[in-house]
Amino acid sequence: MRDKITNWLIIGIIVSVVMMIVGYFLWTNLMPIDNISSYSPQELRDVQKERAINYPLGSLLLNLGFVGFSSTLLALVVRKLLAFIKKKQ
């Protein structure tokens, strides 16, 4: 049986992945652009900001989800490694 901290870390990983998925769909442009090669990178970014559902919120959720996923996964791996080392001794 897993302890409560490990359960919370796994829940944190799942919530972070969901945040990244929702953030990506809010941040990205879901409508096709006709001739993408004719746009400069700045123009392409402006078009994406105009056509996205909610660009600032999507960007925030995407970044927060990535940071949360990375830190939670790191904590879970360190916790499992420490438990493995403790079990070997």
Side-chain angles (χ1 to χ4, degrees), residues 1 3 10 12 26 34 48 55-56 58 63 65-66 72 74-75 82:
M1 185 171 160
D3 59 347
I10 292 173
L26 289 176
D34 292 333
Q48 182 180 2
Y55 187 85
N63 291 328
F66 179 72
T72 308
L74 180 66
L82 290 175

Side-chain angles (χ1 to χ4, degrees), residues 57-71:
L57 179 62
S59 178
L60 177 72
L61 284 177
L62 194 60
N63 291 328
L64 284 177
F66 179 72
V67 169
F69 179 78
S70 300
S71 60

Side-chain angles (χ1 to χ4, degrees), residues 26-30 47-55:
L26 289 176
W27 173 75
T28 192
N29 174 17
L30 298 175
V47 168
Q48 182 180 2
K49 285 181 181 180
E50 289 173 9
R51 293 189 179 179
I53 296 171
N54 193 343
Y55 187 85

